[in-house]
Amino acid sequence: IYGARAASGVILVTTKKGQKGLLNLNYTGYYGISGPEKTVDLLNATQYAALMNEKSVASGGPIVYPDLSVFGTGTDWQSAIFEDNAIRESHE
């Protein structure tokens, strides 16, 4: 019996009766591993800072990042987010 404090009545749910005979069981499933088909070549942190300096100077502004050596490579967010061994599975 389903219902919530007489909200619009009560619903009775019944199921089919079982039958004697053979058991019929169906199963469909798959399991696999996937990864990104291709990724985009991105700038590292030092290259990005140099590009921002070039943009600023080209538009008549000052050098935004005078010491590019402090940036290093930064984080490769594509490698951090995408996993080459992502598990895919489905079971029914």
Side-chain angles (χ1 to χ4, degrees), residues 2-50:
Y2 293 91
R5 297 184 181 173
S8 300
V10 175
I11 299 171
L12 295 177
V13 178
T14 60
T15 60
K16 296 179 180 179
K17 304 289 183 202
Q19 296 177 357
K20 291 183 180 182
L22 296 175
L23 175 65
N24 186 9
L25 178 67
N26 294 322
Y27 174 78
T28 304
Y30 70 85
Y31 178 87
I33 297 174
S34 65
E37 185 171 331
K38 63 181 182 177
T39 56
V40 179
D41 292 332
L42 300 175
L43 300 175
N44 65 27
T46 303
Q47 293 167 333
Y48 179 76

Side-chain angles (χ1 to χ4, degrees), residues 36-87:
E37 185 171 331
K38 63 181 182 177
T39 56
V40 179
D41 292 332
L42 300 175
L43 300 175
N44 65 27
T46 303
Q47 293 167 333
Y48 179 76
L51 186 64
M52 291 298 105
N53 281 343
E54 289 178 27
K55 176 183 141 189
S56 179
V57 170
S59 65
I63 292 178
V64 181
Y65 305 110
D67 186 12
L68 296 177
S69 65
V70 298
F71 289 100
T73 58
T75 302
D76 181 2
W77 289 107
Q78 287 183 115
S79 295
I81 294 171
F82 297 129
E83 188 175 332
D84 289 333
N85 296 321
I87 296 173

